[in-house]
Amino acid sequence: MNRFKKYFGPSTLVTAAFIGPGTLTVCTISGANFGYTLLWVLLFATIATIILQEMTARLGLITQNGLGEAIRSQIANPIAKASAIILVFTAIIVGNAAYEAGNISGAVLGISGIFGTKIPWALFIGVISFGILFIGRVKIIERILIALVILMSVVFIITAILVKPDFSAILSGFFIPSLTDKNQLAILGLIGTTIVPYNLFLHASSVSQKWKKAEDLKDLQKENGVAIGLGGLISMAIVIASAATIFGKGVSGINEMALQLEPLLGSWAKYFLALGLFAAGISSSITAPMAAAYTARGIFGWDSNFRSLRFRAVWIFILMTGTLFSMLGYKPIEVIQVAQVANGILLPIIVFFLIYLCNKRSLLNDYVNKNWQNALAAIVILVSIIIGFRSLNSVFNFL
C-alpha cells in the first residue's frame, strides 16, 4: 500500500486540476471537429507538462519554496524584480480569472443538464467553492481530486477501447502533425488545457508538504511521470472516444458530449457526464483561486497562513470574477474554450521565468536543468508563441 501511495501526491493534484471541464470540453470538441488529427498536440503537451512540472517540482523540493518565492528572491535588480512580479502576477490573475470562469461554466453545464437552467447555478457553485476554500482543508480537497482522477480515467479509457477506434488513424494523429487555419485555436486550447500555467505555481508550493530532502527527487520524478502521464492518457481517450462516435456532428451542449459515453454507459451517459462536469468544475474552481493566492503569497513575500486576509483576498477576487463572468449569459462551452486559449497565450511568460530559475546553480546547485530540458521548454515557448499569434491574427487580422 505504501508503494502505491508513493505515486499519488502533489503531482496528482496537478493532474486533477487540468482534468477539469476545460479538458472534457476542449478534447470532446477537438475529436468531434477534427477526428484523430490533433492527438499529436496532446502527445507533445503531455510530454512537455511532465518536463515542466518536474522542473517546478524540483525547484520546490530543493528550495522548499514555491515558484513565486524563487522569482522574488533570485532577481536582484529592483526594476527587473518589480517588472517580473507585476508581469507574472498579472498573467496569473488574468489567466486564472478566465480559467475560473471556464471551471464554473463547466460545472453549470453539468448540473443544468440534469436540473435545467432556471436556477442561478453559477452563483450556487461559487458559494460552494467559497465555503470549501474558506474552511481551508487542503488535504480533504486533494483526496477528492485523486478519487475524481481515478474515476474519470477508468470511464474514458474503457470507452475509448469499446468504441473500436481506427488505430491507423490514431497512429497518424499521433505522429503526423496537422496545422491549418481552421484548427489553430483548437491546438492552442489543447495546449492551454494541458500545460496550465497556474499548475506550475501550485505544484512548486505543494511539493514541500510531502517531499523534504534532495534524496526524494527520484521518487518525486516517478510520481510526476505517472500522474501527469495518466492525465495525458485521459485527455487522449476523450479525443479518441469523441472522434469515433461524434466526428462531424458538432457539439453545442451536454447532450452531444454525452454521446461518446453511450457505448459504455447507455442511457446513463448524460447523467454520468453531467455529474463528471459538475465535480470537475467544482474541483477546478477550488484549485485555480488557491493557485493564484499561492502565487501572490510567494512573489510578494506574505506569511504562509492559508487563512490570512491577504491570501483570502486573492482567491476571493478570482472566485468572484469567475462567478460573475459565468453569470453573464455566455454559452458555457464558449467560455470554456476562451479560457483554454487564454491559458495557451499566457503560458510562454511563466515558462520563461521557470527556465531562468532552473538554470541558476546558486539556487539549485547540482540540480539545475539539463540541456534537453531547456530545449524542450524552449520549444514549448516557441510553439505557444507561434500558434498563439497565428490564432489571434486569424481572429483579429493584425497582419
Side-chain angles (χ1 to χ4, degrees):
M1 185 65 180
N2 288 333
R3 287 185 63 187
F4 181 75
K5 287 175 65 177
K6 183 185 294 186
Y7 297 106
F8 293 91
S11 300
T12 312
L13 185 66
V14 170
T15 300
F18 83 70
I19 299 297
T23 297
L24 281 171
T25 303
V26 171
C27 289
T28 296
I29 292 173
S30 295
N33 292 343
F34 305 105
Y36 306 104
T37 60
L38 296 186
L39 285 170
W40 67 272
V41 182
L42 286 175
L43 180 62
F44 162 76
T46 301
I47 294 172
T49 302
I50 291 172
I51 299 301
L52 294 176
Q53 294 294 162
E54 187 278 335
M55 286 167 56
T56 193
R58 176 165 28 99
L59 180 71
L61 173 66
I62 302 303
T63 65
Q64 288 292 293
N65 282 313
L67 181 54
E69 288 93 332
I71 291 173
R72 176 174 54 85
S73 64
Q74 293 301 310
I75 301 178
N77 184 283
I79 296 176
K81 178 183 290 190
S83 300
I85 288 173
I86 292 171
L87 183 62
V88 170
F89 186 65
T90 301
I92 288 295
I93 290 296
V94 172
N96 281 30
Y99 205 76
E100 186 70 355
N103 294 332
I104 294 174
S105 295
V108 170
L109 183 64
I111 196 168
S112 63
I114 299 176
F115 297 106
T117 58
K118 292 182 180 180
I119 297 174
W121 291 118
L123 181 60
F124 172 74
I125 291 160
V127 171
I128 291 178
S129 300
F130 178 89
I132 295 172
L133 283 165
F134 193 82
I135 293 171
R137 302 298 297 270
V138 179
K139 288 290 184 181
I140 294 175
I141 295 170
E142 183 174 328
R143 293 191 187 105
I144 293 171
L145 297 179
I146 290 172
L148 176 63
V149 168
I150 294 172
L151 178 62
M152 300 291 280
S153 302
V154 172
V155 171
F156 277 102
I157 291 172
I158 292 175
T159 302
I161 296 171
L162 286 179
V163 294
K164 298 179 180 179
D166 184 338
F167 286 102
S168 62
I170 290 175
L171 287 174
S172 297
F174 274 126
F175 300 110
I176 303 178
S178 169
L179 179 60
T180 67
D181 292 338
K182 292 182 178 180
N183 67 16
Q184 289 174 38
L185 282 175
I187 291 172
L188 195 60
L190 288 171
I191 292 174
T193 197
T194 306
I195 317 173
V196 183
Y198 80 68
N199 275 344
L200 297 171
F201 288 88
L202 182 63
H203 202 180
S205 296
S206 60
V207 157
S208 61
Q209 296 176 19
K210 180 176 181 179
W211 308 106
K212 301 294 183 182
K213 307 183 296 294
E215 291 76 15
D216 294 329
L217 181 59
K218 287 188 177 180
D219 286 335
L220 182 151
Q221 290 170 333
K222 289 178 183 177
E223 180 213 322
N224 182 71
V226 170
I228 305 299
L230 175 61
L233 185 62
I234 298 169
S235 299
M236 295 168 193
I238 297 170
V239 171
I240 291 170
S242 175
T245 55
I246 58 176
F247 175 60
K249 296 180 180 179
V251 176
S252 60
I254 192 170
N255 291 326
E256 293 85 1
M257 292 177 67
L259 290 174
Q260 63 185 312
L261 294 179
E262 286 188 357
L264 175 64
L265 301 177
S267 60
W268 289 96
K270 175 182 175 181
Y271 300 103
F272 176 85
L273 186 64
L275 180 62
L277 279 168
F278 176 72
I282 288 287
S283 62
S284 295
S285 69
I286 293 165
T287 52
M290 189 166 62
Y294 273 130
T295 303
R297 186 191 72 182
I299 63 177
F300 293 121
W302 299 342
D303 61 67
S304 59
N305 186 0
F306 189 89
R307 293 179 173 85
S308 71
L309 181 61
R310 292 179 296 191
F311 192 92
R312 282 177 167 169
V314 175
W315 67 250
I316 288 172
F317 174 78
I318 295 295
L319 181 59
M320 288 180 61
T321 302
T323 302
L324 177 62
F325 274 97
S326 184
M327 293 175 64
L328 289 179
Y330 297 106
K331 292 181 179 180
I333 285 182
E334 293 176 353
V335 176
I336 292 168
Q337 284 181 287
V338 169
Q340 309 315 313
V341 172
N343 259 353
I345 293 171
L346 293 169
L347 178 65
I349 298 172
I350 309 303
V351 176
F352 172 80
F353 283 105
L354 182 61
I355 294 175
Y356 169 74
L357 293 169
C358 286
N359 280 280
K360 292 205 69 170
R361 195 166 290 275
S362 60
L363 180 66
L364 295 180
N365 298 315
D366 294 332
Y367 297 96
V368 293
N369 273 3
K370 296 179 174 58
N371 289 336
W372 64 269
Q373 292 171 315
N374 286 329
L376 184 58
I379 291 171
V380 172
I381 293 177
L382 184 62
V383 169
S384 299
I385 290 174
I386 292 173
I387 296 176
F389 179 79
R390 289 186 58 172
S391 299
L392 291 175
N393 186 54
S394 67
V395 175
F396 298 107
N397 293 316
F398 294 133
L399 296 176

